[in-house]
C-alpha cells in the first residue's frame, strides 16, 4: 500500500495537544490536496482526530480553522492551480475559503478510539508517559487494520521498547516533530530494531511531501535533540549549585541564563528555554533517559525542588509564558526564583548591573542572536566573537568557554555513543530544532 | 504654451507619511489611522501653506478601492471634514485604478478651465494595510478586467502581469541586463527614499541593496520573473495639491513664486478588454508623454526632473523609455549608467517613487505631482535636485492598471 492510499484514512491520537494539533494541520493539508486531485474524485478521505475530552476537541476545532486559513493564504499560488476548474471560485479569498472548507470536511473529531478502525496510518502524540503510551498503542493494535502503521512523536522513549511492549511487530517508527510542527522544519526519524522497510519508506516520503528536514537518529533514549538538550540543561543546573554560595540561587540562575544567551549567542538563555519547554517535561525527559540508559547522574535535585513547589513553566492557553525558573512580565524576564526563600526576586537594576559588571567588567558589546541570524558572515563573526572571549579572561568569559566546551563534548559523545551517525546530524538538529546559529561541534575552541 | 485658454498653477503640495512595513511606527497588529484621517491630514497640510482656505472653491478626491479596503464609499463626504468652510462646496471622487490620483489632477484642472472654479483642492488617498497582501491582491486586481482575466490570473495578479512583462523583456533584451537594471532601479529608489522622511523606506538600513535587488524570484510562493523587492509597497497615505488660476492664487494669498505652472497634460485611455499590444513597451504611457510634450512644445531633454509610475521596477525601466528619456530597449542600461540618479542627466523619482516612497494607490498620481512641483519650486528638502534655468520643466506620468489609464503632466517654473 503506497503513501497516497494510506493517506485516505489517518488517525491522530492526542490530536488536541501542542504536537498533535500541529501534526493535524500538516496531515489535513496533504490529505486535502490528494482529495482534490482529478483522479481521486469520488474517493472518501478521513482524518480522525482523537483526544480525551470534548473541551480539548473544541479548542482543536478553532485552532485548526485558524491554521488552515493561514496555510491556505501562504499557498494560494498553488491552490489557484488546484481549483482551476472551479469556475465559481475566482478571487484568492474564495479559493482560500474553499480549501479550508474542503479540508475541514474530511475531519472527524472524537473521543472514541474505535474511529481508528479503518486507518492505515496512525500518529501518536499523547503525553510523554510510557505506561499510557504502551496501553494506548496496545489497544490501537486491536482496533486498527492489521497493516496499520504507527508514527510516534515520543521525545525520549526508545521505539523498540514501545514496539516490543505493544507488540506491534515493527509497525512503528519514531517521528519526532519539533514544536510547533507547523513552523519547525526538523523531524528526527528513529527506526526501531524491527521497523519494517515499508514504514521506513513511508516515513521518508511523507517527510519529503511536508518539506521537512528529516534527520535520522539512533533508537537511544533522548535521540539527538533531547539527548543534547537534557545534558546541556543539566550542566547549567549543576553549575547553579556551584555558584549559589556566592550569588544565591537566584543570582546563579541569572548568571547561567545570561551567559548562555549573551556569551554563547543563543536565541534564549538555558533556563528560559527550560521554562519554555516546561520544567515538568524536562524532568520527565531526564527520568525516562535515566531509566533506559541506566545513568544515575541524569537527575537534578534542584529541578525536583522546583517541581515539588509546582513551579513548572510552560505556556498559558493564550501562548504566553508561565513562570518557571524565571518570572515573566509581558513574556520578558522580570525576576528569578530563589528556592531557599521560596519566592521570586524581581530584577533590581543595581543588583543586575553589579552581576553584569562582574561577568563583563569592560562592558564588551556582543552581537545578539537576532542580529546574526540573517547575516551572511555570521560564522566569521562568531569566530571573532569566541576568539575575543578567549582573550578576555573575565569571570563571564570563563563560564562561557566552559559551557561552550561542555556543549561540544555532549555533541561529540552523541556521535561516539552512536546516537547520531555523524557530527553533521548533531549540528543539524541543534541548528534547525533549537535555532542555534552554530552546531555544538565546531572549531571555535 | 497656447494650449490652455488661461494659466493654471499648482501650489501647496503635501504628502503624508506612507505607512506600511518598513516604517518604524508600523505594526500590523496595532490599530492604525483610517482613510478619513489621511484625507484630513493631507488637506490640512496643504491648507497650512496658503492664506485663505475659505476661498478654495471645490474638492476632488482620487481613490481606487476604499469600497473594498475600508468598506467605505461616498468619499466626497469627507471633504467638508477637512475645513469648516468646505461645507456645502462641491466635491467629486474619481477612480481610475492606480491612476486615480492622476485623474483627480486633471479633473481639478478641467473645472478651472471650464470657468467653474478658481481654486480646486485635489486629494489622493488610499488605505491598504487593512487586509493581508493576499486579499489586497484581489482588490487591486480590480484594475484588470475581472470577468475576462481574473480567473486565469495569478494569486498576485498585478505582480504577475508585470512579471510577464519582465519575462518578455528578458527574452528580447537579455536576462542579465534587465535583471541588473531592475536591481539598480531598486537601489536608486531606496537611496532616494532615505532622504525623504515621509517615505516608507526612509528607515531602510540595508547595507547591500544591490544584492537584495538581485534576489532570485520564488515562483512557488510569488512570481516567475520578479521578486518582492521589485514591487512597490503596500501603503496607507494621502497627498494634496491645490490648482488655481492666476486670480485663484491671489484669492488664497499665494505668491507666484510659491507656485508652479502646469503647462500641459495628456489623459489617455486604453481598452481594458484587449491585451497589451507589446509586453516590452508601455504603449499608452508613451502616447501620453508624447502628447504632453507636444502640447507643452518641449522635448524630453528639456526636463530637469521626472516622476514615473514604478509600481514595479520593470515598470520603472519601461516608463523611462515611454517618457522618451531613454530609447526602446535601453531603459535598463540608461538606469545602470546612473542617468536617473539624483545627480544624473534626468533625476527620476527623486523622493523614492512607488518602490521607495510607497504606493498608496489612489494617492500616487497626486503624490507624483506634489513632488515635481516641490522640485521646481526649490522646496524638495534633502531630495532637491538641480533645476537649471534653461530646463525649467518637470513631468509626472501616472498609470492605472496594466498601461490602461494614463495621465502625463508637464510643469514649469512660473514664467511671470
Ligand atoms: N512539546 C514539545 O516541545 C514536544 C516536542 C517534540 C515532541 N514532543 C512529544 O510529543 C508528545 C505530545 O507532547 P505535547 O507537548 O503535545 O503534549 P500535550 O500535553 O500538549 O498534548 C498531549 C495530548 O494528548 C492527549 N492525551 C493524553 N492521553 C491520551 C489518551 N489516552 N488518548 C487520547 N489523547 C490523550 C491530551 O489530552 C493532550 O491533548 C509527547 O510524547 C512529547 O514528548 C513534545
Amino acid at each position: 500500500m503506497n503513501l497516497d492510499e494510506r493517506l485516505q484514512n489517518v488517525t491522530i491520537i492526542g490530536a488536541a495537544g501542542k504536537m498533535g494539533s500541529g501534526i493535524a494541520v500538516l496531515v489535513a493539508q496533504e490529505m486535502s490536496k490528494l482529495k482534490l486531485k482529478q483522479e481521486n474524485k469520488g474517493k472518501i478521505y478521513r482524518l480522525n482526530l482523537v483526544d480525551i475530552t470534548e473541551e480539548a476537541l473544541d479548542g482543536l476545532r478553532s485552532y485548526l480553522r485558524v491554521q488552515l486559513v493561514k496555510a491556505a493564504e501562504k499557498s494560494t499560488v498553488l491552490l489557484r492551480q488546484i481549483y482551476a476548474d472551479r469556475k465559481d471560485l475566482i478571487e484568492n479569498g474564495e479559493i482560500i475559503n474553499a480549501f479550508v472548507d474542503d479540508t475541514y470536511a474530511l475531519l472527524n473529531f472524537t473521543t472514541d478510539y474505535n474511529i481508528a478502525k479503518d486507518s492505515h496510518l496512525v500518529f501518536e502524540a499523547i503525553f510523554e508517559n510510557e505506561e499510557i503510551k504502551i496501553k494506548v498503542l496496545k489497544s490501537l493494535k486491536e482496533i486498527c487494520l492489521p497493516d496499520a502503521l504507527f508514527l510516534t512523536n515520543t521525545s525520549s522513549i526508545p521505539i523498540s521498547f514501545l514496539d516490543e511492549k505493544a507488540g506491534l511487530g515493527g509497525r512503528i517508527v519514531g517521528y519526532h516533530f519539533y514544536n510547533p510542527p507547523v513552523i519547525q522544519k526538523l523531524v528526527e526519524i528513529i527506526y526501531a530494531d524491527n521497523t519494517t522497510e515499508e514504514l521506513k519508506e513511508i516515513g521518508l516520503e511523507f517527510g519529503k511531501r511536508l518539506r521537512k528536514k528529516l534527520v535520522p537518529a539512533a533508537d537511544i533514549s533522548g535521540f539527538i535533540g533531547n539527548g543534547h538538550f537534557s545534558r546541556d540543561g543539566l550542566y547549567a543546573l549543576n553549575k547553579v549549585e556551584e555558584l549559589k554560595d556566592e550569588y544565591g540561587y537566584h543570582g546563579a540562575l541569572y548568571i547561567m541564563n545570561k551567559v548562555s544567551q549573551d556569551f554563547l549567542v543563543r536565541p534564549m538563555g538555558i533556563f528560559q528555554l527550560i521554562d519554555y519547554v516546561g520544567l515538568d517535561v524536562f524532568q520527565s525527559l531526564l527520568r525516562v533517559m535515566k531509566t533506559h540508559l541506566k545513568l544515575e547522574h541524569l537527575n537534578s535535585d534542584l529541578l525536583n525542588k522546583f517541581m515539588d513547589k509546582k513551579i513548572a513553566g510552560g505556556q498559558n492557553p493564550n501562548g504566553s509564558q508561565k513562570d518557571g525558573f524565571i518570572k515573566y512580565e509581558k513574556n520578558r524576564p522580570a525576576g528569578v526564583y530563589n528556592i531557599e526563600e521560596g519566592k521570586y526576586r524581581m530584577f533590581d537594576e543595581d543588583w543586575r548591573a553589579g552581576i553584569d559588571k562582574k561577568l563583563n567588567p569592560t562592558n564588551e558589546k556582543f552581537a545578539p542572536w537576532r542580529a546574526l541570524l540573517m547575516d551572511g558572515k555570521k560564522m566569521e563573526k562568531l569566530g571573532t566573537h569566541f576568539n575575543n572571549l578567549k582573550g578576555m579572561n573575565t569571570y563571564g568569559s570563563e563560564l562561557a568557554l566552559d559551557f561552550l566546551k561542555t556543549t561540544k563534548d555532549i555533541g561529540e559523545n552523541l556521535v561516539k555513543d552512536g546516537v547520531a551517525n555523524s557530527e553533521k546530524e548533531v549540528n543539524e538538529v541543534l541548528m534547525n530544532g533549537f535555532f542555534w546559529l552554530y552546531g555544538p561541534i565546531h572549531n571555535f575552541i | 504654451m497656447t494650449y490652455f485658454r488661461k494659466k493654471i498653477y499648482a501650489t501647496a503640495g503635501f504628502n503624508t507619511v506612507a505607512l506600511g512595513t518598513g516604517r518604524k511606527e508600523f505594526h500590523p497588529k496595532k490599530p492604525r489611522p483610517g482613510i478619513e484621517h489621511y484625507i484630513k491630514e493631507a488637506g490640512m497640510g496643504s491648507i497650512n501653506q496658503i492664506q485663505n482656505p475659505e476661498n478654495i472653491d471645490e474638492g476632488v478626491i482620487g481613490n481606487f478601492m476604499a469600497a473594498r479596503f475600508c468598506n467605505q464609499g461616498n468619499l466626497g463626504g469627507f471633504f467638508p471634514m477637512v475645513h469648516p468652510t468646505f461645507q456645502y462646496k462641491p466635491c467629486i471622487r474619481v477612480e481610475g485604478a492606480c491612476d486615480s490620483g492622476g485623474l483627480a489632477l486633471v479633473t481639478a484642472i478641467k473645472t478651472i478651465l471650464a470657468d467653474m472654479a478658481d481654486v480646486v483642492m485635489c486629494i489622493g488617498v488610499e488605505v491598504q494595510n487593512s487586509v493581508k497582501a493576499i486579499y489586497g491582491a484581489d482588490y487591486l486586481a480590480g484594475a484588470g478586467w475581472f470577468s475576462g482575466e481574473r480567473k486565469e490570473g495569478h494569486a498576485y495578479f498585478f505582480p504577475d502581469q508585470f512579471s510577464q512583462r519582465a519575462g518578455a523583456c528578458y527574452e528580447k533584451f537579455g536576462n542579465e541586463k534587465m535583471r541588473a537594471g531592475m536591481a539598480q532601479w531598486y537601489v536608486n529608489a531606496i537611496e532616494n527614499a532615505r532622504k525623504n522622511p515621509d517615505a516608507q523606506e526612509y528607515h531602510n538600513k540595508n547595507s547591500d541593496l544591490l544584492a537584495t535587488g538581485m534576489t532570485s524570484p520564488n515562483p512557488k510562493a510569488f512570481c516567475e520573473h520578479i521578486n518582492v523587492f521589485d514591487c512597490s509597497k503596500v501603503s496607507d497615505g494621502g497627498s494634496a495639491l491645490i490648482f488655481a488660476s492666476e486670480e485663484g492664487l491671489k484669492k488664497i494669498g499665494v505668491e507666484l513664486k510659491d507656485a508652479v505652472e502646469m503647462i500641459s497634460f495628456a489623459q489617455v485611455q486604453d481598452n481594458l478588454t484587449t491585451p497589451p499590444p507589446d509586453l516590452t513597451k508601455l504603449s499608452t504611457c508613451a502616447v501620453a508623454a508624447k502628447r504632453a510634450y507636444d502640447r507643452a512644445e518641449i522635448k524630453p531633454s528639456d526636463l530637469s526632473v521626472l516622476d514615473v509610475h514604478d509600481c514595479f521596477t520593470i515598470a520603472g525601466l519601461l516608463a523611462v523609455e515611454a517618457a522618451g528619456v531613454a530609447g526602446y530597449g535601453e531603459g535598463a542600461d540608461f538606469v545602470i549608467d546612473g542617468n536617473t540618479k539624483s545627480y544624473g542627466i534626468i533625476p527620476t523619482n527623486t523622493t523614492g517613487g512607488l518602490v521607495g516612497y510607497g504606493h498608496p494607490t489612489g494617492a500616487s498620481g497626486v503624490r507624483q505631482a506634489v513632488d515635481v512641483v516641490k522640485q521646481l519650486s526649490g522646496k524638495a528638502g534633502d531630495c532637491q535636485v538641480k533645476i537649471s534655468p534653461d530646463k525649467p520643466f518637470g513631468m509626472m506620468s501616472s498609470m492605472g492598471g496594466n498601461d490602461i489609464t494614463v495621465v502625463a503632466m508637464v510643469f514649469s517654473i512660473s514664467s511671470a
Side-chain angles (χ1 to χ4, degrees), chain A residues 53-67:
Chain A
T53 65
E54 288 296 338
E55 286 81 358
L57 292 175
D58 274 349
L60 177 61
R61 279 188 182 89
S62 35
Y63 174 82
L64 272 173
R65 190 162 276 285
V66 172
Q67 291 297 323

Side-chain angles (χ1 to χ4, degrees), chain A residues 73 80 86 89 91-93, chain B residues 68 132 135 138 151 155:
Chain A
E73 287 170 350
R80 287 192 78 88
R86 284 282 301 272
L89 303 176
E91 296 208 307
N92 295 337
Chain B
R68 296 198 75 185
K132 291 185 182 170
Y135 304 107
D138 277 337
K151 176 62 187 166

Side-chain angles (χ1 to χ4, degrees), chain A residues 12-23 50-53 56-57 110-111 113 124-129 132-133 135-136 152-157 175-181 188 226 276-278 280-281 284-285 315:
Chain A
I12 300 176
I13 308 282
K18 279 201 289 284
M19 303 306 288
S21 57
I23 296 168
V50 183
D51 210 292
I52 311 175
T53 65
L57 292 175
T110 180
T111 55
Y113 289 27
E124 175 278 305
I126 65 170
F127 306 130
E128 188 74 347
N129 176 307
I132 305 184
K133 276 205 200 278
K135 204 175 110 211
V136 167
T152 171
N153 202 51
T154 179
S155 302
S156 52
I157 309 168
Y175 218 63
H176 187 221
F177 286 92
Y178 275 68
N179 185 23
E188 275 178 280
N226 285 314
Y276 175 77
V277 169
D280 50 345
V281 173
S284 94
L285 170 65
Q315 278 87 45

